[in-house]
Structure formats: structure tokens, C-alpha cells
Amino acid sequence: MIIYTARQIITMDPEQPRAEAVAVQGARIVGVGALSDLQEEHAAALARVDRRFNAHILLPGFIDPHIHPTIAASILPMEIVAAMEWPTIDGSSKPVRSEADFDARLLELDAALPETDWLMAWGYHAPYHGRLDKRRLDAISDARAIMIWQRSIHEMYFNSAALNELGLTEEDFAAEPHASWENGHIWEAGLFSLGGPMMAKIASPLKYLKGLSRMSELIHRGGITTVGEQGFPQVNSLAELWALRWELRKRPYRFVLIPNAMYLSNEYSSLHSVVEAAEHLLTQSTEKVRFSRHIKYYSDGAMFSQMMQMTEPYIDGHQGEWMMPPESQSLLLEAFWRADWDIHIHVNGDAGLDRVLMDIARMKEAFPDKQPRIVLEHYGYAREDQHAQVAQLGIEVSNNPYYLYELAPIYSEHGLGPERAKNLSPLGGLSRAGVRFSFHSDFSMAPLQPLKLAWVATNREASDGNVWGREQRVSAMQALTAVTIEAARSLGMEASIGSISTGKLADFTVLGENPLEVPIQRLKDIPIWGTIFEGELYPLDPN
């Protein structure tokens, strides 16, 4: 048994918010409190006192309850050509923020690649990089196959050589509403119907495993000990599960997988079979890759594509897209509500949210004896009246604060206008309404950096250096809660992780400074020593 002391121990347990020491035996916490009390209590166990963290701060291990390993593993081996600086294991990418600079970077990459290689890049975003289509990519190269993955990963663009090599035809595109042959563009549902050949190239086994390894390194650097996959599987259940189990053999974190109702509904013809398939996934849990009895389905489109459904049209007049037809959403909600599953719903725009809230209210009225935990994933833009409805219905929110950082400045000019842009990720409104919320990165929609998410949420400072929506700020304590105990609750894991409490797993994040004492402007810059995962120490490499 080891008793750790630290300069401060922030437990995130309201019954004992601070402690002098924490006792660990094996993978579990066996005591929290004053050092002298723990020494006396565990004298028979010959507990050893470890004072190595006397200059550090111990917190519960950070939790990111919503990432996508398939996307992370696919993107991280690629070239990153994005408007924001992006952290990688080799440093940070260089921001590219104009149409001319975007094309210049693609030309550089084209010149550097071997003749037969594909040019694959992630990060394109129209408000920064201009309109993209097949003709523009053919001008980069009409010989090399090029695929550009849009910032949201909900869209892909191809040049003519890529379409030819993939064997995709104009007839294939004509059969899919979410595709344009003329522009070499597929989006939302089109990725599922036409994106298979491309995903096979992106996720070749060796490249995919390399990407997972890079993802694991970024998770550790962020001080994260638990991550959630919101929507498993994405492409291939057996391959994705095998790869995760292989990757996590010696890694200091665990994965919690939330089954993907949209994927399962495309695989099975009846709702009964969809629920049965989700039940079967629960039997596939292992020690470090476990399934939770939570299900996820999708409502409206992506924030980074401006495809979220909006009540007031965008500046150019469009209103967004549905990822799943509203009727299908309603049927899945009812099927899993009846089957006693907790339910996560991907929703971004206020019109999408109106539809979701209507469906949930109908279920509560129809089945008052059933009380599933409902978590709204993303909650990118919502109105004040909707916060009150969310609270009244007992719904929780898992939000990505980073939307505000990257999107507010550019969406104020392109798409939403300044009034709606300043209220992206409206955490202050949720807080005032009394709604429980957690934070997530939805990696790669935000970096795997919980302290960066906390910094955005407390400061509301965007990428232009200005404060947007000051009234939507939350406190540092609320932000820490959102990446610890509330994030654990989002995954249904609050009994095991999320606070430093007796009986829970011994997962800790070790910081160089106290996030409740430093100025909030410095939250993102607090040094991370490393983590303790199930009682084992994992310091970061200082190099």
C-alpha cells in the first residue's frame, strides 16, 4: 500500500473537497484524508508514504467522454492543413487561413510526395479556405489522386484521379442525395454510402495502428485516463474492437464504448434486431475496453460544416441537414427507451434541438415509469428558452466548448452573424438553468486537452483574441467538474471514476499548478507531470 501526499489534493468529492493524502492499494483508492489518520488506519498494512508530489497538485484523472478513435487513427497519419494550429506528437501544425495559402500548401505536398502516393489532407474549412470542388483539386494535380477531408470529417472532396482510382462513377453519385459528382463532393449520409472505398485506403491496417498509437500519446499528454467512444462502431465492428484492444494493452487509459444506433440501424432491418445487436455488444467488454449500456443516435448535421439545423436560416439562406431522418430518430429513441437504455443524442442546432426535445417530451409522457439518463452531445447552439426545457425534462449535456474558440469569429461573418456566433456553446445559459454538463473534445473537433477546454469555457476567448459571449462563461470549478465527475457521469461511470474517493479506481492527473488558484487566463498553460492509472505511475517524457 502507498499513501501519496501532495501540495494539494482536489478530490471533486463534495463531501470532502480537499485532502492531505490518498491511500492506494493495487488499482483502488482505500483512503482519503489527513496523512496521520491514514497512517494510523493502515498501520497493519505497512503503508509506505510517497512524498514525490509534494510540489504538485493531484486531481481525479481527466476524462474525455466523447472522442472517435477511428477518426483519430485515420487523421493523425495524414497531412494537417487547417486554419488553427493543431497539436501533434511531433509539434504543432502551421495554421493556413486563406484560399491562396491552402492551395499553396497542397502544391507543396504534391511536389514532395512520391509519384504514386495519394495526397490526403484533413482540415479544409470553407470560411477560411474558399469553395472547394473537383476542378480546383484537378488544378493541383490531374495525375495524382487527391482526397481532402473537411474539418468536421462529415464531408470529403476528390479530384478526378481519385474518383477514377476508387472506381466511383457518376451513376453511383446520382443515387445518393448527399453527393455531387460535378464537385467531387460527398457529405453526411453520402460518406456511409459512397465513402467505403476511401475509408479502406485511409484505414489500412499498419497506417491505422500507427494512428491509434499517436492518439494514445496525445491522450496521455492531455492528462486523460478515461475516454469514451460516442458511437461504436463507425465502420467495422470487429476490426475497430480488435485494434483498440491491441492498442490499449500497455497504455495508461481505458476506453468506454457507446454503441452506435445509426450504424446498427443500417446493418439490421428491424428495430428489435438493432436493440439485440446493441445488447450483444455489451458482452464484448474487457478490462480496458468496456461497453456501457448507453446508446447514441444522430439528429442534425455538423457544426464545422454549417449543416446543423437552425430555426433562423443561415446568412446565405440554407437551414442545415439531418444526419438521420426525423422519423428514424423517433423510432430509435422509443425502441431504446422501452428497452431501458440510457440515451445520447448528437444535436447541434436549435432547430435540431426543438425536434429532439419534442421527441423526449413525448416519451416521458408515454412512459412515465421509465427514466433513462438522456445526454445531449455537442449542444452547439441553443436558445435561452431551450435551456429551460432541457432542465425541466431532466436532460444532461456534454458540450464541446472549443466550438466558440474556433468558430465564433469566422461564423459571425459567414453563416450565423455576430449575435448567434457569440452564443455558441452556451454553457452560462445551461448553468443558470441548473442543467448538468460535461465537456468533450469530440477529437478531432478539438484537441485532446481538457485544460484547453476549461480555458475556453471560463474565458470565452476565441481564436481572434476577443471575448465572445461573456455571459456564457462558467467558473473554474464548474470547468474542472465537467472534465472529471460530470464526464464520468456522462459515461455511466461515476461510481468508479471521476473523483478521489474511497473505493474508486486510483486514477489521478498530476499538475504543476492548482487550476482553482491560477488566473483563469493561464488554465491551458498549467504543466502536466503525467498520470497515475489504476495505481501505476505514468510520467510524461519531459522531452
Side-chain angles (χ1 to χ4, degrees), residues 313-541:
Y314 293 83
I315 291 172
D316 67 2
H318 83 282
Q319 288 188 295
E321 298 277 359
W322 296 109
M323 286 192 69
M324 300 178 66
E327 298 76 15
S328 299
Q329 297 175 39
S330 302
L331 291 170
L332 282 172
L333 176 65
E334 181 171 345
F336 282 96
W337 196 295
R338 287 175 175 272
D340 297 312
W341 281 65
D342 292 330
I343 300 165
H344 296 244
I345 307 168
H346 162 116
V347 60
N348 273 310
D350 64 335
L353 183 56
D354 278 336
R355 173 72 199 203
V356 166
L357 294 176
M358 180 183 71
D359 278 351
I360 293 171
R362 182 172 58 84
M363 286 295 97
K364 283 185 171 286
E365 184 176 351
F367 305 102
D369 56 322
K370 294 182 181 290
Q371 297 295 329
R373 183 175 297 176
I374 306 294
V375 182
L376 303 180
E377 298 289 336
H378 307 318
Y379 207 82
Y381 175 78
R383 306 183 306 270
E384 284 291 323
D385 64 290
Q386 292 176 315
H387 308 327
Q389 292 178 65
V390 169
Q392 189 270 327
L393 290 168
I395 299 169
E396 302 175 20
V397 169
S398 181
N399 175 255
N400 183 350
Y402 190 82
Y403 287 155
L404 182 281
Y405 176 77
E406 183 164 341
L407 298 179
I410 199 73
Y411 279 14
S412 69
E413 301 175 11
H414 303 271
L416 296 182
E419 188 61 30
R420 286 185 291 180
K422 77 174 186 178
N423 286 305
L424 295 177
S425 296
L427 291 162
L430 288 173
S431 175
R432 289 186 291 276
V435 177
R436 306 182 78 136
F437 58 83
S438 59
F439 295 165
H440 65 255
S441 69
D442 190 20
F443 188 82
S444 58
M445 298 306 101
L448 283 159
Q449 297 173 332
L451 288 175
K452 180 69 173 279
L453 301 182
W455 174 82
V456 176
T458 54
N459 289 277
R460 299 288 292 187
E461 182 179 319
S463 54
D464 63 351
N466 293 320
V467 172
W468 291 77
R470 189 179 301 272
E471 67 279 5
Q472 299 293 0
R473 292 183 301 181
V474 297
S475 70
M477 182 54 129
Q478 286 176 299
L480 280 186
T481 301
V483 298
T484 54
I485 189 62
E486 286 298 334
R489 181 178 169 84
S490 176
L491 294 170
M493 293 281 289
E494 68 271 27
S496 301
I497 57 175
S499 65
I500 299 177
S501 307
T502 300
K504 289 193 176 185
L505 290 166
D507 295 350
F508 311 126
T509 299
V510 185
L511 301 181
E513 295 179 275
N514 187 337
L516 299 178
E517 293 180 355
V518 303
I520 57 173
Q521 293 82 2
R522 290 186 47 227
L523 277 175
K524 64 181 174 61
D525 302 315
I526 291 176
I528 299 173
W529 175 90
T531 60
I532 299 173
F533 177 70
E534 295 188 356
E536 298 288 332
L537 274 64
Y538 293 91
L540 289 174
D541 183 344

Side-chain angles (χ1 to χ4, degrees), residues 61-94:
F62 288 156
I63 300 164
D64 190 329
H66 185 150
I67 78 167
H68 295 291
T70 51
I71 295 166
S74 301
I75 284 172
L76 288 171
M78 274 186 195
E79 299 293 340
I80 295 177
V81 187
M84 300 294 126
E85 182 179 77
W86 201 256
T88 74
I89 65 169
D90 302 315
S92 295
S93 65
K94 183 180 177 181

Side-chain angles (χ1 to χ4, degrees), residues 5 25 50 64 70 111 116 127 134 142 161 167 200 248 271 276 283 296 301-302 313 323 338 346 348 387 429 461 476:
T5 60
Q25 185 162 41
D50 189 325
D64 190 329
T70 51
T116 57
K134 182 166 56 176
D142 58 4
L248 265 70
L271 288 170
E276 277 195 336
T283 69
K296 181 191 176 189
M323 286 192 69
R338 287 175 175 272
H346 162 116
N348 273 310
H387 308 327
E461 182 179 319

